[in-house]
């Protein structure tokens, strides 16, 4: 575990106290009262949550993201002002296990309408290497409904500790948004929670949710079709964020050094990846938009592979290959098709 990614909880707790002392009791008021005119004041932890809140909430919400564009979410440190803004929110949407500082601040904020996206689908364990099995749609919702609470309990258990486990032993992989099917499950849950938080606009939230789920279904179909026939099923990445995506579409993710996108791989791991690349006919080492490409380029040079961008969509910047989640996921599909030799 990279120590620099861990934010001291004592500092957060102190800041929470400072933030809360300056606040009125508005955080406990009914969500429908809103904190920005007649709009619901929504705080999202980072981009994938912000996208859901904006698309589903539409004109009825004012969304603030705690993670600014270009900031690596795992490195986020909250200011007392940000912690205060969480407590002033009508509705908070976050993903437990990605940002320890956010998890701690939200836990102490006292906001009534707080939604952890990880409880809206089932989480799994993924290591640096993930072999995929193509599930398709069949039984997906039934599975989610049947095991929803079980998954939530498991996630609570796994999230203790560093808060960002990425499929380490005993840890649940939090990167659910990179699987359009799981992301659609989360979207449905967010829609229902917004309907309850702001019943006056429930019909609009329902309509917006259905529209977004329809887009995600189309995205899933595009991935299924586009990755069905490929020369290889293996891709190499600096950031082991694509476990759910690999599993969904029958691919195998090979992470260079596991959880830290900027970690230096060991000589043994480089040799192992060289062997895997030759055996599985892998062509490309992927790096991400928000992290250095140094490790990917070093490995590519050592193994004779190409480099490319596969965006884990933790934030949108000018460098992103698209303006929003859907567009960047489409760019990711094109990158995967090229690297895997789609036919």
């Amino acid at each position: 575990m990279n120590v620099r990614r861990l934010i001291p909880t004592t500092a957060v707790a102190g800041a929470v106290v400072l933030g809360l002392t300056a606040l009125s009791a508005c955080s406990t008021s009914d969500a429908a009262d809103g904190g920005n005119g007649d709009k619901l004041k929504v705080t999202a932890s980072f981009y994938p949550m912000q996208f859901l809140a904006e698309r589903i909430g539409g004109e009825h919400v004012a969304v603030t993201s705690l993670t600014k564009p270009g900031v690596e979410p795992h490195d986020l440190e909250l200011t007392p002002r940000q912690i205060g803004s969480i407590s002033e929110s009508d509705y908070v949407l976050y993903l437990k296990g990605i940002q320890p500082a956010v998890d701690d601040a939200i836990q102490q904020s006292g906001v009534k309408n707080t939604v952890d996206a990880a409880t809206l689908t089932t989480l799994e364990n993924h290591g640096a290497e993930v072999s995929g099995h193509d599930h398709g749609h069949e039984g997906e919702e039934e599975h989610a409904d049947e095991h929803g609470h079980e998954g939530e309990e498991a996630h609570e258990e796994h999230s203790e500790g560093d808060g960002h486990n990425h499929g380490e032993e005993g840890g649940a992989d939090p990167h659910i948004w990179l699987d359009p099917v799981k992301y659609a499950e989360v979207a449905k849950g967010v829609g229902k929670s917004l309907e309850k938080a702001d019943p006056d606009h429930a019909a609009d939230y329902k309509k917006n949710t259905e529209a977004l789920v329809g887009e995600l279904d189309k995205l899933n179909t595009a991935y299924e079709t586009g990755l069905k026939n490929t020369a290889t099923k293996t891709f190499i990445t600096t950031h082991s964020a694509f476990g759910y995506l690999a599993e969904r579409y029958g691919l195998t993710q090979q992470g260079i050094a596991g959880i830290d996108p900027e970690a230096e791989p060991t000589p043994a791991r480089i040799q192992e990846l060289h062997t895997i690349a030759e055996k599985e006919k892998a062509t490309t080492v992927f790096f991400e938009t928000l992290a250095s490409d140094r490790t990917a380029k070093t490995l590519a040079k050592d193994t004779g592979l190409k480099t490319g961008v596969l965006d884990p969509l933790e934030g949108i910047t000018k460098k992103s290959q698209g303006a929003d989640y859907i567009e960047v996921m489409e760019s990711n599909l094109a990158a995967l098709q090229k690297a895997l030799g789609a036919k």
Side-chain angles (χ1 to χ4, degrees), residues 44-329:
S45 57
F46 72 131
Y47 178 71
M49 301 299 102
Q50 177 189 347
F51 178 76
L52 290 179
E54 288 175 345
R55 288 295 301 271
I56 297 170
E59 64 183 4
H60 304 303
V61 299
V63 182
T64 302
S65 177
L66 294 172
T67 310
K68 294 190 183 339
V71 173
E72 220 283 340
H74 313 298
D75 294 334
L76 182 68
E77 295 189 47
L78 296 175
T79 65
R81 181 184 290 274
Q82 283 180 304
I83 291 168
S85 75
I86 294 172
S87 300
E88 291 176 317
S89 303
D90 301 313
Y91 179 99
V92 176
L93 179 60
Y94 75 115
L95 178 57
K96 189 173 182 179
I98 284 281
Q99 300 165 291
V102 173
D103 295 350
D104 291 335
I106 288 172
Q107 189 177 0
Q108 298 179 59
S109 69
V111 176
K112 177 184 169 187
N113 295 292
T114 298
V115 177
D116 172 11
T119 65
L120 303 177
T121 185
T122 50
L123 274 71
E124 299 165 16
N125 294 347
H126 295 134
E129 175 187 350
V130 178
S131 295
H133 307 284
D134 194 2
H135 301 311
H137 289 285
E138 193 175 346
E140 185 67 38
E141 287 187 26
E142 183 180 331
H143 174 79
D145 291 338
E146 186 181 342
H147 300 291
H149 294 296
E150 197 172 299
E152 181 177 340
E153 287 169 12
H155 177 70
E156 292 290 339
E157 180 184 332
H158 291 321
S159 293
E160 290 176 12
D162 65 27
H164 184 229
N165 294 310
H166 276 72
E168 292 176 292
E169 188 177 348
D173 180 356
H175 296 89
I176 49 178
W177 67 92
L178 290 166
D179 174 354
V181 177
K182 284 195 173 291
Y183 200 46
E185 288 177 6
V186 174
K188 290 174 187 175
V190 170
K192 286 176 183 174
S193 67
L194 279 170
E195 287 176 42
K196 288 179 183 175
D198 184 11
D200 289 349
H201 301 114
D204 285 346
Y205 296 141
K206 188 177 179 64
K207 184 172 116 183
N208 293 344
T209 300
E210 287 172 356
L212 178 56
V213 168
E215 285 187 61
L216 294 172
D217 285 345
K218 284 181 184 175
L219 185 65
N220 174 52
T221 300
Y223 266 79
E224 280 183 340
T225 306
L227 298 173
K228 200 167 194 176
N229 298 308
T230 56
T232 179
K233 295 293 183 185
T234 300
F235 63 97
I236 300 169
T237 175
T238 54
H239 188 183
S240 300
F242 301 92
Y244 291 106
L245 186 150
E247 186 173 5
R248 177 68 56 194
Y249 304 111
L251 307 178
T252 298
Q253 167 186 251
Q254 288 285 352
I256 291 177
I259 65 170
D260 185 350
E262 296 182 34
E264 293 290 341
T266 63
R269 182 59 176 159
I270 288 177
Q271 183 56 47
E272 185 182 12
L273 288 169
H274 184 73
T275 303
I276 289 168
E278 284 186 339
K279 183 182 176 186
E280 303 297 333
K281 296 183 173 58
T283 66
T284 308
V285 181
F286 286 114
F287 60 93
E288 62 174 287
T289 319
L290 296 182
S292 169
D293 62 357
R294 183 184 58 186
T295 302
K297 284 184 174 175
T298 300
L299 179 62
K301 185 179 177 183
D302 290 343
T303 56
L305 301 175
K306 300 171 187 173
T307 57
V309 173
L310 198 61
D311 196 330
L313 264 160
E314 294 177 341
I316 294 283
T317 69
K318 291 178 182 177
K319 293 180 181 179
S320 299
Q321 303 293 308
D324 64 12
Y325 172 87
I326 300 290
E327 289 186 6
V328 175
M329 282 294 283

